Amino acid sequence: MNETRRAALNAAMRELPLAAILRGVRPDEIDSIFDALVASGFKMIEIPLNSPRPWESIERVAKRCPDDVVIGAGTVLDPEACRRLADLDAPLVITPNTDPAVIGEAVAQDLAPMIGCMTPTEALAAARAGASALKLFPAARLGIGYYRDMKAVLPSDMPVFAVGGIEQSNMSEWITAGIDGFGFGGSVYRPGWSAQEVERCARGLVAEWCRVKEGLAQADGLEREADA
């Protein structure tokens, strides 16, 4: 990963850790969908490898990806995919499972592995293997209580993204519980959606993240003033 992409990833993780999951997107529509997401403020964009001709889509957007946006592949199941992503300057490696071989190759290629996990065993194994972040999946089915219990045993500096069943209506409860970021699938893109529909949904998700985070920051500031 070059320094430009590393800076973009660090900024996204710090300021707006929201990833758009474009499962099912086609190469003939990727440009307009990608532009809609960038216009809405999204900085992390994933093209799952079980989409139609995914490498064609990744290559198309990689050639013109803005400096402050990071792209990559989802549903990465094979270490070979990491080598292809490195060649395309597409550093996000997002998996549905915890596979040390994939994590190891992603680390070797200086990419950013965001690793799917459900149990503490998987999460800790991913962290030890070099994951940049963990993807709690399926988050909504597991619930916030489950997330809190698992977070308590993870390294304190390991970001956890909630993925699966997350939409604008339930973001607030997860953010309040301390989640570090989200991956959005059907809440931001579904096959057949127009770029206008994608942008409308994406703007709503970005606005909700900012609204809740600002509210929490204000509440924290008031609490500090009261304690002073």
Side-chain angles (χ1 to χ4, degrees), residues 136-160:
L136 180 63
F137 175 80
R141 291 187 182 277
L142 294 169
I144 290 173
Y146 186 93
Y147 157 71
R148 285 193 176 118
D149 289 345
M150 190 164 79
K151 181 70 172 177
V153 302
L154 296 177
S156 60
D157 59 347
M158 176 57 67
V160 179

Side-chain angles (χ1 to χ4, degrees), residues 16 18-23 25 29-48 61 64 66 68-71 183-190 193-206:
L16 196 66
L18 310 178
I21 303 167
L22 304 183
R23 190 175 310 282
V25 71
E29 63 179 346
I30 186 60
D31 288 312
S32 61
I33 299 297
F34 178 78
D35 290 344
L37 288 166
V38 172
S40 75
F42 268 76
K43 304 298 184 184
M44 294 187 287
I45 298 171
E46 164 196 341
I47 298 172
V61 295
R64 62 187 194 86
D68 62 342
V69 175
V70 185
I71 66 165
F184 299 106
S187 298
V188 75
Y189 170 80
R190 295 182 186 182
W193 278 15
S194 68
Q196 291 75 22
E197 288 176 291
V198 171
E199 184 169 350
R200 175 180 57 79
C201 291
R203 287 189 182 277
L205 295 168
V206 170

